[in-house]
Amino acid sequence: MSNNLLATNPYKGTRDFYPGEMAVRNWFFSRMKEVVARYGYEEYNGPILESFDLYAAKSGQELVNEQIYHFMDRGDRKLAIRPEMTPTVARMVAARLGELTFPLRWFSIANLMRYERPQKGRLREHWQLNVDIFGESDIRADAEIVSIIADLMLSFGAEESMFKIKINNRKFFNDVLTSVLDVRGEDVQAISKAVDKRAKVPEEAYRKWLLESGITDENINRLDTIFGSSLEQISQMLGDGSEGARELTDLFTLLKEAGLDRYVEFDFSIVRGLDYYTGTVFEVYDTSPGNRRALFGGGRYDNLIGLFKNAEISGVGFGFGDVTFQNFLETHGLVPGHLDKSAGVMIALFDETPYAEYLKLAAELRENDIPATIYMGRGSKLKKQLSFAGKKMFPLVILAGPDEIAGNKVMIKQMAAREQLTVDRSKFIDKIKQLLAQTSSES
Amino acid sequence: MSNNLLATNPYKGTRDFYPGEMAVRNWFFSRMKEVVARYGYEEYNGPILESFDLYAAKSGQELVNEQIYHFMDRGDRKLAIRPEMTPTVARMVAARLGELTFPLRWFSIANLMRYERPQKGRLREHWQLNVDIFGESDIRADAEIVSIIADLMLSFGAEESMFKIKINNRKFFNDVLTSVLDVRGEDVQAISKAVDKRAKVPEEAYRKWLLESGITDENINRLDTIFGSSLEQISQMLGDGSEGARELTDLFTLLKEAGLDRYVEFDFSIVRGLDYYTGTVFEVYDTSPGNRRALFGGGRYDNLIGLFKNAEISGVGFGFGDVTFQNFLETHGLVPGHLDKSAGVMIALFDETPYAEYLKLAAELRENDIPATIYMGRGSKLKKQLSFAGKKMFPLVILAGPDEIAGNKVMIKQMAAREQLTVDRSKFIDKIKQLLAQTSSES
């Protein structure tokens, strides 16, 4: 057995969630669920495997060629482990077009796999909250999505100074490129890729990329100026005809009405990497200088349902991943320290007392929704049992030896205060509830 | 676009969870979490991909050769999509042997993939609750696991008559085969496979399988008699030396002390398909005649940690899948009907009133933890808006037109009762809380 031991590390770029880490993940996804539930969003979920074709059409070359895990199953189907959730939800919406009442407000929490070079903020497996509205083209839907993002950030204790939601619009971007910078329509996609990567590649590479995409040296400089310009300034270059300009103006008006203007700003360099966006696009940034990448983002996509059905159902939404967000929370000191503390009671064992007595105590506690753990290991000294309780961070230990059992009493030890008290068996549930409530309010 | 439309069905043997189905899944996994939390179990989770080697050693040939999804990644690693959770958790425990305080009481809820022929109760992707104790060889741990299973079943409203936990022991099974039926030690594994499949294959095939595994025709008949015998009867055939017999006797004594004898029974034909079990094994059966397969099962495995580290850490636990369990709940009418009802409030729009007023109302509701959905679609008649609210099953609709806004009032429409009432703006949160509490207690 000693020879061929298997490695204990998880697969590269994936994580094991031990109870401490799982408590953090549960904490932040349950908080996210609370926020989206307040907006009336309903949860959905889909399979981890999808047909490869779902991504081939619209997800963008980088994702499809380099990042998707794909393989053939035993029935010769080309499958992919989902690298993102949007194509799955688009497929689900398309499948029940006639039965669903639009608009849909849907969310999911799911794991996704991408073949990435693992680095800070990027892993191969991450968990993501996806939030979308389907079947509503009104810009009010875009505003609601931005409003949810702001509420999500605030619900974790993030302050106005810690993050910024940067917003642009693909139609607006296209109009500026074609009308102001004389780019041909078919070159817009390539240029938007270059702009999307601008902050991540050297200046030289970025300029070369743009030149190859059919934009002149002079217009590259003009583009640089435009990146620093306001929505009003750029809109003036376009004249009145730009639908994208109108959408952006309406969106910022709505966000001001909702009291969210503090959290948002226009940024012409936001385009998003995925090919399917067609209108509003946005990214959320950590304002701390150490973290220059977008935390997450999203936007409006008009044509995804069209991959499956001859129908026009527009969607707008975002995906909010746990890896980058956990970095954000840690950077700003927003992860509470007490998440993995045991919440309940440990019952110590006394050799002289029948085990059945402890089973009864435990059952009574559990019926009252109090987590109860019976110590295991026969004949262990009390000191050893209390040391175990300390390591496992049980706030309370029940000591019911022969004297207590005979007298119909229970002794409760408060681990932090190192105090113990004896109560009547008939009152011990209430006493424990009271002590646990004290403990949790102190932490 | 009309030509190459993609299919909308999910991959064969997997499911889309629309909000209605997701509400059921959330309902039963959150209930399961409540039950295991009462026993002091902590949640963990691991990656969807693992090294293929994790399963090759101990999971059994059928699973490894026929059921695992595996492929090579771009770095030439042979990977598997996890078909079960136990090897993952064994790897995690092995990785932190020195840091963890044993015994561990751990659970997880995770999706698993197996390449099965989809049929009732079997899909390719299912979700599973896994519950395990690590580092405790005392039979009290086995009893605690059985106790959790009984509590899980009861917590869903299952009655004593609806299910039975059938228990055996691999050591006991081995002792009987080798001592009573003269089977050679190396043939026990093959015979246990045949016994595990006994109810699923024709009688002929089963007998042939046993004969090939080195058991005589006469002893096959004797085995049949043993299947109908009690624990006491079989134990007597063995004499005093069987550790397995002692473990079973102790386990049933403990279960009686815990008041669980009504839910359990000894069954010598229970062996479990996976190779790694070494002691107690059990399966939970639906007693309704339409469903003869085990709902789920588990047992004790002594050597899994040994795949990774030279250490002896025993585990005992079970995996509880959603597909078979949902069949059980539906068969017995135990799924509540109101799970996918909208919980909150819809805010109707009046053209004459600024949208910002509705944003304010929504924000106030959400701050008070009341789910609030603002109707979308400009200029919709009230009738259309109420029809939407009806289809989406909102219990309450807020009607705040120009008169209400001017008078600092809010009109609340109760959809089921078709009644409406007008309250002061300052009191509408309390009124809505009260009405929502009524609605949920009625459903």
Side-chain angles (χ1 to χ4, degrees):
Chain A
M1 191 191 278
S2 63
N3 288 318
N4 294 305
L5 294 179
L6 300 176
T8 58
N9 54 307
Y11 169 56
K12 189 175 178 182
T14 70
R15 289 164 293 170
D16 291 330
F17 291 87
Y18 287 82
E21 290 116 33
M22 193 66 202
V24 174
R25 187 173 117 193
N26 277 339
W27 164 71
F28 68 68
F29 281 121
S30 64
R31 179 151 295 188
M32 288 183 194
K33 276 176 106 155
E34 279 169 30
V35 172
V36 293
R38 273 184 228 140
Y39 280 78
Y41 283 62
E42 298 178 288
E43 189 169 1
Y44 71 92
N45 208 325
I48 185 83
L49 293 182
E50 290 279 4
S51 167
F52 180 80
D53 300 339
L54 240 63
Y55 310 100
K58 289 274 184 182
S59 292
Q61 284 188 355
E62 184 190 7
L63 193 147
V64 172
N65 295 341
E66 296 165 30
Q67 297 181 339
I68 288 190
Y69 284 84
H70 60 83
F71 62 93
M72 306 298 288
D73 81 354
R74 289 162 214 227
D76 257 351
R77 291 177 192 84
K78 189 169 183 183
L79 299 176
I81 304 180
R82 62 179 172 216
E84 54 158 336
M85 204 64 189
T86 313
T88 294
V89 68
R91 178 181 61 66
M92 288 173 61
V93 171
R96 295 201 185 167
L97 269 192
E99 303 152 57
L100 296 166
T101 305
F102 292 93
L104 307 174
R105 288 171 164 95
W106 279 10
F107 78 95
S108 70
I109 292 166
N111 53 338
L112 311 171
M113 296 265 350
R114 293 191 187 189
Y115 198 80
E116 308 246 19
R117 190 169 56 81
Q119 53 190 291
K120 191 185 173 193
R122 294 239 159 174
L123 292 174
R124 291 186 175 175
E125 183 178 47
H126 76 294
W127 286 80
Q128 196 177 67
L129 168 74
N130 272 260
V131 178
D132 291 274
I133 301 180
F134 286 96
E136 181 56 64
S137 53
D138 196 314
I139 204 78
R140 284 177 179 171
D142 309 51
E144 181 167 299
I145 289 293
V146 173
S147 170
I148 291 174
I149 291 173
D151 266 1
L152 278 168
M153 299 300 289
L154 298 173
S155 78
F156 284 95
E159 288 165 22
E160 189 183 332
S161 62
M162 296 177 185
F163 70 96
K164 192 63 87 177
I165 307 170
K166 299 185 178 184
I167 301 175
N168 195 11
N169 185 297
R170 277 273 183 105
K171 286 178 208 142
F172 185 66
F173 186 81
N174 291 7
D175 286 349
V176 171
L177 260 63
T178 52
S179 310
V180 181
L181 300 179
D182 298 326
V183 169
R184 295 180 310 169
E186 59 265 41
D187 294 329
V188 169
Q189 193 81 292
I191 292 170
S192 67
K193 296 273 176 197
V195 171
D196 183 53
K197 295 276 188 221
R198 192 171 68 116
K200 299 157 205 155
V201 297
E203 168 79 14
E204 278 303 292
Y206 164 70
R207 290 189 80 94
K208 187 154 169 277
W209 196 343
L210 283 185
L211 282 168
E212 284 166 5
S213 306
I215 184 165
T216 63
D217 212 40
E218 188 196 334
N219 275 333
I220 293 176
N221 293 336
R222 247 179 115 189
L223 185 56
D224 264 346
T225 317
I226 292 175
F227 286 140
S229 305
S230 71
L231 175 56
E232 292 71 27
Q233 288 167 333
I234 309 175
S235 297
Q236 276 166 14
M237 298 179 199
L238 284 178
D240 280 345
S242 169
E243 193 185 339
R246 273 195 305 277
E247 286 182 6
L248 276 170
T249 308
D250 288 353
L251 179 57
F252 279 101
T253 305
L254 277 166
L255 292 172
K256 196 174 162 63
E257 281 180 10
L260 298 171
D261 39 337
R262 287 172 291 172
Y263 309 113
V264 300
E265 70 182 23
F266 166 74
D267 186 331
F268 189 73
S269 73
I270 300 298
V271 289
R272 303 290 295 151
L274 295 164
D275 287 356
Y276 50 65
Y277 291 113
T278 50
T280 302
V281 280
F282 51 82
E283 288 183 345
V284 183
Y285 281 81
D286 184 347
T287 52
S288 73
N291 191 1
R292 290 191 53 215
R293 297 178 79 138
L295 291 173
F296 64 99
R300 180 173 281 280
Y301 42 93
D302 283 332
N303 306 321
L304 265 183
I305 307 294
L307 289 175
F308 307 94
K309 285 275 172 72
N310 287 315
E312 289 187 12
I313 301 280
S314 181
V316 56
F318 63 91
F320 189 170
D322 67 337
V323 179
T324 47
F325 190 55
Q326 194 163 344
N327 288 346
F328 172 83
L329 293 174
E330 284 165 3
T331 302
H332 295 280
L334 298 173
V335 182
H338 58 81
L339 291 170
D340 62 345
K341 237 185 209 172
S342 297
V345 168
M346 190 191 92
I347 300 171
L349 300 181
F350 292 76
D351 281 348
E352 309 87 330
T353 305
Y355 187 62
E357 295 291 344
Y358 300 116
L359 289 173
K360 265 186 241 157
L361 281 171
E364 204 173 329
L365 287 159
R366 289 169 189 152
E367 275 160 26
N368 285 281
D369 251 339
I370 300 165
T373 301
I374 306 182
Y375 184 80
M376 283 207 180
R378 300 181 198 222
S380 293
K381 293 206 170 128
L382 191 57
K383 195 179 163 190
K384 189 179 171 192
Q385 298 189 46
L386 290 175
S387 154
F388 176 83
K391 281 186 195 156
K392 295 276 194 185
M393 294 187 282
F394 286 102
L396 302 178
V397 174
I398 290 184
L399 304 167
D403 294 348
E404 285 80 15
I405 299 289
N408 226 0
K409 305 266 185 194
V410 170
M411 188 187 283
I412 304 166
K413 187 175 176 73
Q414 296 173 265
M415 295 294 285
R418 292 164 186 254
E419 281 169 15
Q420 51 204 41
L421 53 125
T422 303
V423 292
D424 283 349
R425 171 72 185 255
S426 62
K427 289 177 190 152
F428 93 109
I429 294 286
D430 286 342
K431 190 68 198 172
I432 282 173
K433 278 186 182 167
Q434 181 201 325
L435 291 172
L436 286 177
Q438 277 175 25
T439 318
S440 70
S441 68
E442 279 160 15
S443 65
Chain B
M1 193 192 279
S2 62
N3 288 317
N4 294 303
L5 293 179
L6 300 176
T8 58
N9 55 306
Y11 169 57
K12 189 175 178 182
T14 70
R15 290 164 293 170
D16 290 330
F17 292 87
Y18 287 82
E21 291 116 32
M22 193 65 205
V24 175
R25 188 174 116 193
N26 276 339
W27 165 70
F28 69 68
F29 280 121
S30 64
R31 181 151 295 188
M32 288 184 194
K33 277 175 104 155
E34 278 170 32
V35 172
V36 294
R38 274 184 225 139
Y39 280 78
Y41 283 62
E42 298 178 286
E43 189 169 1
Y44 70 92
N45 208 324
I48 185 81
L49 293 181
E50 288 280 3
S51 167
F52 179 81
D53 300 337
L54 239 63
Y55 310 100
K58 289 274 182 181
S59 292
Q61 284 187 354
E62 184 190 8
L63 193 148
V64 172
N65 295 341
E66 296 166 29
Q67 296 181 340
I68 288 191
Y69 283 85
H70 60 84
F71 61 93
M72 307 297 288
D73 82 353
R74 290 163 213 226
D76 257 352
R77 290 176 191 86
K78 189 170 184 183
L79 299 177
I81 304 181
R82 63 181 170 215
E84 53 159 337
M85 204 63 189
T86 313
T88 295
V89 67
R91 178 181 60 67
M92 287 173 62
V93 171
R96 294 203 186 166
L97 271 192
E99 302 152 55
L100 296 165
T101 304
F102 292 93
L104 307 174
R105 288 171 164 97
W106 279 9
F107 78 95
S108 69
I109 292 166
N111 53 338
L112 311 171
M113 296 267 349
R114 292 190 189 192
Y115 198 79
E116 308 247 19
R117 190 169 57 80
Q119 54 191 290
K120 192 186 172 192
R122 293 238 161 175
L123 292 174
R124 291 186 176 176
E125 182 178 48
H126 76 294
W127 286 80
Q128 197 178 67
L129 168 73
N130 272 261
V131 178
D132 291 275
I133 302 180
F134 286 95
E136 181 56 66
S137 52
D138 196 312
I139 204 77
R140 284 176 178 171
D142 308 53
E144 180 167 300
I145 289 293
V146 174
S147 170
I148 291 173
I149 290 173
D151 266 1
L152 279 169
M153 299 301 288
L154 298 173
S155 78
F156 284 95
E159 288 164 22
E160 188 182 332
S161 62
M162 296 178 186
F163 70 97
K164 192 63 89 178
I165 307 168
K166 300 185 178 183
I167 301 174
N168 195 11
N169 184 298
R170 277 274 182 105
K171 284 178 210 141
F172 184 65
F173 186 83
N174 291 8
D175 286 349
V176 171
L177 260 63
T178 52
S179 311
V180 181
L181 301 178
D182 297 326
V183 168
R184 293 180 310 169
E186 58 266 42
D187 294 329
V188 170
Q189 193 80 294
I191 292 169
S192 66
K193 296 273 174 197
V195 171
D196 183 54
K197 294 276 187 220
R198 194 170 67 115
K200 297 157 207 156
V201 298
E203 169 78 15
E204 279 302 292
Y206 164 70
R207 289 189 80 92
K208 187 156 167 276
W209 196 343
L210 283 185
L211 282 168
E212 286 168 3
S213 306
I215 183 165
T216 64
D217 213 38
E218 188 198 334
N219 275 335
I220 292 177
N221 293 335
R222 246 180 114 190
L223 184 57
D224 263 348
T225 318
I226 291 175
F227 286 140
S229 306
S230 71
L231 175 57
E232 294 70 26
Q233 288 167 331
I234 309 174
S235 297
Q236 276 164 15
M237 299 178 198
L238 284 178
D240 283 344
S242 168
E243 193 185 336
R246 274 196 304 278
E247 286 183 4
L248 276 169
T249 309
D250 288 352
L251 178 57
F252 280 100
T253 306
L254 276 168
L255 292 172
K256 198 174 159 65
E257 282 180 7
L260 298 171
D261 39 338
R262 290 171 290 172
Y263 310 113
V264 300
E265 71 183 23
F266 167 73
D267 187 330
F268 190 71
S269 73
I270 300 299
V271 290
R272 302 292 292 151
L274 296 164
D275 288 355
Y276 50 66
Y277 291 113
T278 50
T280 302
V281 281
F282 51 82
E283 288 182 345
V284 183
Y285 282 82
D286 185 348
T287 53
S288 73
N291 190 2
R292 291 189 54 216
R293 295 178 80 138
L295 291 173
F296 65 98
R300 181 173 280 281
Y301 43 93
D302 284 333
N303 306 321
L304 266 183
I305 306 294
L307 290 175
F308 307 94
K309 287 274 173 75
N310 287 314
E312 291 187 11
I313 301 280
S314 182
V316 56
F318 63 92
F320 190 168
D322 67 337
V323 179
T324 48
F325 190 57
Q326 193 163 346
N327 289 345
F328 172 84
L329 292 175
E330 284 164 4
T331 302
H332 294 280
L334 297 174
V335 182
H338 59 81
L339 290 172
D340 62 346
K341 237 186 209 170
S342 297
V345 168
M346 190 191 91
I347 301 170
L349 299 182
F350 292 76
D351 281 348
E352 308 88 329
T353 304
Y355 187 63
E357 294 291 342
Y358 301 115
L359 290 172
K360 265 187 240 158
L361 281 170
E364 202 173 331
L365 288 160
R366 289 169 189 154
E367 274 160 27
N368 285 281
D369 251 338
I370 300 166
T373 300
I374 306 181
Y375 184 80
M376 282 207 183
R378 300 181 198 220
S380 294
K381 291 205 172 131
L382 192 57
K383 196 178 163 190
K384 188 178 172 194
Q385 298 189 46
L386 290 174
S387 155
F388 176 84
K391 282 185 193 157
K392 294 276 194 183
M393 294 186 282
F394 286 102
L396 303 178
V397 174
I398 290 185
L399 304 167
D403 294 348
E404 284 80 15
I405 299 288
N408 226 358
K409 305 266 184 194
V410 169
M411 188 186 285
I412 305 167
K413 187 174 176 72
Q414 296 174 264
M415 295 295 285
R418 291 164 185 256
E419 281 170 15
Q420 50 205 42
L421 54 122
T422 304
V423 292
D424 282 348
R425 170 72 186 256
S426 63
K427 288 176 190 151
F428 92 109
I429 293 286
D430 286 342
K431 190 69 197 170
I432 283 174
K433 280 187 182 167
Q434 181 201 328
L435 292 171
L436 286 176
Q438 276 175 27
T439 320
S440 71
S441 68
E442 280 159 16
S443 65

